[in-house]
Amino acid sequence: QVQLVESGGGLVQAGGSLRLSCAASIRTFSRYAMAWFRQAPGKERELVGHISTSATTYYVDSVKGRFTISRDNAKNTVYLQMSSLKPEDTAAYYCAARWGVPTNSRYDYWGQGTQVTVSS
């Protein structure tokens, strides 16, 4: 059974940085595309970005240049490094996994989420 566990969320001031981690209990982790999503109160869940099995990354425009997704296949972990944080980045952040090629929406496994709050 696949489990994804996010950590690293918290409260940070605008302009600050946080690094989220997502530990995956997937034996063939290197063959899974990983993604980060977020959901703010009263809003729909949205893609933040994803990383392919070959570590190619994609980001939505609102985080491009500020967020970086990386993966460590030896640790079965994907990271979301967030910098220059803005109050509008406040949301619950979720990691997701799917076998093979990354997509912008369809993932098979999801973590429970970690809250990020950015104060102004």
Side-chain angles (χ1 to χ4, degrees):
Q1 183 177 357
V2 173
Q3 286 189 321
L4 304 175
V5 180
E6 301 97 335
S7 60
L11 174 64
V12 63
Q13 288 189 331
S17 299
L18 275 177
R19 189 178 80 156
L20 306 184
S21 300
C22 172
S25 64
I26 303 176
R27 192 169 59 178
T28 54
F29 176 76
S30 64
R31 299 185 179 183
Y32 279 72
M34 302 296 295
W36 286 95
F37 289 80
R38 67 185 179 185
Q39 186 168 20
K43 295 188 176 182
E44 292 188 353
R45 185 173 60 196
E46 64 174 359
L47 175 71
V48 173
H50 53 62
I51 185 166
S52 72
T53 56
S54 60
T56 300
T57 53
Y58 166 84
Y59 305 95
V60 296
D61 286 345
S62 59
V63 307
K64 202 173 293 183
R66 300 189 298 121
F67 290 11
T68 302
I69 299 174
S70 61
R71 63 190 300 158
D72 185 337
N73 290 337
K75 295 182 178 180
N76 280 20
T77 300
V78 63
Y79 303 97
L80 177 64
Q81 178 68 48
M82 304 183 292
S83 60
S84 302
L85 282 161
K86 305 175 181 180
E88 51 264 42
D89 294 318
T90 295
Y93 283 72
Y94 301 87
C95 71
R98 62 167 286 161
W99 176 271
V101 179
T103 74
N104 286 357
S105 59
R106 296 186 177 183
Y107 286 79
D108 300 313
Y109 306 103
W110 294 83
Q112 83 291 348
T114 186
Q115 179 66 35
V116 172
T117 302
V118 183
S119 63
S120 57

Coordinates of all heavy atoms in Angstrom, one line a residue, residues 89-120:
D89 N 0.3 32.4 -0.8 CA 0.7 31.0 -0.8 C 0.2 30.2 0.4 O 0.4 29.0 0.4 CB 2.3 31.0 -0.7 CG 2.9 31.6 -1.9 OD1 2.5 31.3 -3.1 OD2 3.9 32.3 -1.8
T90 N -0.5 30.9 1.3 CA -1.1 30.2 2.4 C -2.1 29.1 1.9 O -3.1 29.4 1.2 CB -1.9 31.2 3.3 OG1 -0.9 32.1 3.9 CG2 -2.6 30.4 4.4
A91 N -1.9 27.9 2.3 CA -2.8 26.8 1.9 C -2.3 25.5 2.6 O -1.2 25.5 3.2 CB -2.6 26.6 0.4
A92 N -3.1 24.5 2.4 CA -2.7 23.1 2.7 C -2.0 22.6 1.5 O -2.5 22.7 0.4 CB -3.8 22.3 3.1
Y93 N -0.8 22.0 1.7 CA 0.0 21.5 0.6 C 0.0 20.0 0.6 O 0.2 19.4 1.7 CB 1.4 22.1 0.7 CG 1.5 23.5 0.2 CD1 1.0 24.5 1.0 CD2 2.1 23.8 -1.0 CE1 1.1 25.9 0.6 CE2 2.2 25.1 -1.4 CZ 1.7 26.1 -0.7 OH 1.8 27.4 -1.1
Y94 N -0.2 19.4 -0.6 CA -0.3 18.0 -0.7 C 0.7 17.5 -1.7 O 0.8 18.1 -2.8 CB -1.7 17.6 -1.1 CG -2.8 18.0 -0.2 CD1 -3.4 19.3 -0.4 CD2 -3.3 17.1 0.8 CE1 -4.5 19.7 0.5 CE2 -4.3 17.5 1.6 CZ -4.9 18.8 1.5 OH -5.9 19.2 2.3
C95 N 1.3 16.3 -1.4 CA 2.0 15.7 -2.5 C 1.2 14.6 -3.1 O 0.3 14.1 -2.4 CB 3.4 15.2 -2.0 SG 3.3 13.8 -0.9
A96 N 1.5 14.2 -4.3 CA 0.8 13.2 -5.0 C 1.7 12.4 -5.9 O 2.8 12.9 -6.3 CB -0.3 13.8 -5.8
A97 N 1.3 11.2 -6.2 CA 2.2 10.3 -7.0 C 1.4 9.5 -8.0 O 0.2 9.2 -7.8 CB 2.9 9.3 -6.0
R98 N 2.0 9.3 -9.1 CA 1.4 8.4 -10.1 C 2.6 7.7 -10.9 O 3.7 8.2 -11.0 CB 0.6 9.2 -11.1 CG 1.3 10.2 -11.9 CD 0.4 10.7 -13.1 NE 0.3 9.7 -14.1 CZ -0.7 9.7 -15.0 NH1 -1.6 10.5 -15.0 NH2 -0.7 8.7 -15.9
W99 N 2.3 6.5 -11.4 CA 3.2 5.8 -12.1 C 3.5 6.5 -13.5 O 2.5 6.9 -14.1 CB 2.7 4.4 -12.3 CG 3.6 3.5 -13.2 CD1 3.6 3.4 -14.6 CD2 4.6 2.6 -12.8 NE1 4.5 2.5 -15.0 CE2 5.2 2.0 -13.9 CE3 5.1 2.3 -11.5 CZ2 6.2 1.1 -13.8 CZ3 6.2 1.4 -11.4 CH2 6.7 0.8 -12.6
G100 N 4.7 6.6 -13.8 CA 5.1 7.0 -15.2 C 5.1 8.5 -15.4 O 5.7 9.3 -14.6
V101 N 4.4 9.0 -16.4 CA 4.5 10.4 -16.8 C 3.7 11.3 -15.9 O 2.5 11.0 -15.6 CB 4.0 10.5 -18.3 CG1 4.1 11.9 -18.8 CG2 4.9 9.6 -19.2
P102 N 4.2 12.5 -15.6 CA 3.4 13.4 -14.7 C 2.3 14.1 -15.6 O 2.4 14.2 -16.8 CB 4.4 14.4 -14.3 CG 5.5 14.4 -15.3 CD 5.6 13.0 -15.8
T103 N 1.2 14.4 -14.9 CA 0.2 15.2 -15.5 C -0.1 16.4 -14.6 O 0.4 16.5 -13.5 CB -1.1 14.3 -15.6 OG1 -1.7 14.1 -14.3 CG2 -0.8 13.0 -16.2
N104 N -1.0 17.2 -15.0 CA -1.4 18.4 -14.2 C -2.5 18.1 -13.2 O -2.9 19.0 -12.4 CB -1.7 19.5 -15.1 CG -0.5 20.1 -15.7 OD1 0.6 19.7 -15.5 ND2 -0.7 21.1 -16.6
S105 N -3.1 16.9 -13.3 CA -4.3 16.7 -12.4 C -4.5 15.2 -11.9 O -4.9 15.0 -10.8 CB -5.6 17.2 -13.1 OG -5.7 16.4 -14.3
R106 N -4.1 14.3 -12.7 CA -4.5 12.9 -12.4 C -3.4 12.2 -11.7 O -2.4 11.8 -12.3 CB -4.9 12.1 -13.6 CG -6.2 12.7 -14.3 CD -6.7 11.9 -15.4 NE -7.9 12.4 -16.0 CZ -8.5 11.8 -17.0 NH1 -8.1 10.7 -17.5 NH2 -9.6 12.3 -17.5
Y107 N -3.6 12.0 -10.4 CA -2.6 11.2 -9.6 C -3.4 10.2 -8.8 O -4.5 10.3 -8.4 CB -1.9 12.2 -8.7 CG -0.8 13.0 -9.5 CD1 -1.2 14.1 -10.2 CD2 0.5 12.6 -9.5 CE1 -0.3 14.8 -11.0 CE2 1.4 13.3 -10.3 CZ 1.0 14.4 -11.0 OH 1.9 15.0 -11.8
D108 N -2.7 9.1 -8.5 CA -3.3 7.9 -7.9 C -3.2 7.9 -6.4 O -4.0 7.3 -5.7 CB -2.6 6.6 -8.4 CG -2.8 6.5 -9.9 OD1 -3.9 6.7 -10.4 OD2 -1.8 6.2 -10.6
Y109 N -2.2 8.6 -5.9 CA -1.9 8.5 -4.4 C -1.7 9.9 -3.9 O -1.1 10.8 -4.6 CB -0.7 7.6 -4.1 CG -0.8 6.3 -4.7 CD1 -0.1 5.9 -5.8 CD2 -1.6 5.3 -4.1 CE1 -0.2 4.6 -6.4 CE2 -1.8 4.0 -4.6 CZ -1.1 3.7 -5.8 OH -1.2 2.5 -6.3
W110 N -2.2 10.2 -2.7 CA -2.2 11.5 -2.1 C -1.7 11.4 -0.7 O -2.1 10.5 0.0 CB -3.5 12.2 -2.2 CG -4.0 12.4 -3.6 CD1 -4.6 11.5 -4.5 CD2 -3.9 13.6 -4.3 NE1 -4.8 12.1 -5.7 CE2 -4.4 13.4 -5.6 CE3 -3.3 14.9 -4.0 CZ2 -4.4 14.4 -6.6 CZ3 -3.4 15.9 -5.0 CH2 -3.9 15.7 -6.2
G111 N -1.0 12.5 -0.3 CA -0.7 12.6 1.2 C -1.8 13.2 1.9 O -2.8 13.6 1.3
Q112 N -1.6 13.4 3.2 CA -2.7 14.0 4.1 C -2.6 15.5 4.1 O -3.5 16.1 4.6 CB -2.6 13.4 5.5 CG -1.5 14.1 6.4 CD -0.1 13.8 6.0 OE1 0.2 13.0 5.2 NE2 0.8 14.6 6.6
G113 N -1.5 16.0 3.6 CA -1.4 17.5 3.6 C -0.6 18.1 4.8 O -0.6 17.5 5.9
T114 N 0.0 19.2 4.5 CA 0.7 20.0 5.6 C 0.3 21.4 5.4 O 0.3 21.9 4.2 CB 2.2 19.7 5.6 OG1 2.8 20.3 6.7 CG2 2.9 20.2 4.3
Q115 N 0.0 22.1 6.5 CA -0.4 23.5 6.4 C 0.8 24.5 6.3 O 1.7 24.4 7.1 CB -1.3 23.9 7.6 CG -1.8 25.3 7.6 CD -2.8 25.6 6.5 OE1 -3.6 24.7 6.1 NE2 -2.8 26.8 5.9
V116 N 0.7 25.4 5.4 CA 1.6 26.5 5.3 C 0.8 27.8 5.4 O -0.1 28.0 4.7 CB 2.3 26.5 3.9 CG1 3.2 27.8 3.7 CG2 3.2 25.2 3.8
T117 N 1.3 28.6 6.4 CA 0.6 29.9 6.6 C 1.7 31.0 6.5 O 2.7 30.9 7.2 CB 0.0 29.9 8.0 OG1 -1.0 28.9 8.1 CG2 -0.8 31.3 8.2
V118 N 1.4 32.0 5.6 CA 2.3 33.1 5.4 C 1.7 34.3 5.9 O 0.6 34.7 5.4 CB 2.7 33.2 3.9 CG1 3.7 34.3 3.7 CG2 3.2 31.9 3.4
S119 N 2.3 34.9 6.9 CA 1.8 36.1 7.5 C 2.4 37.4 6.8 O 3.5 37.4 6.4 CB 2.1 36.2 9.0 OG 3.5 36.2 9.2
S120 N 1.5 38.4 6.7 CA 2.0 39.6 6.1 C 2.7 40.6 7.0 O 2.7 40.4 8.2 CB 0.8 40.3 5.4 OG -0.2 40.6 6.4

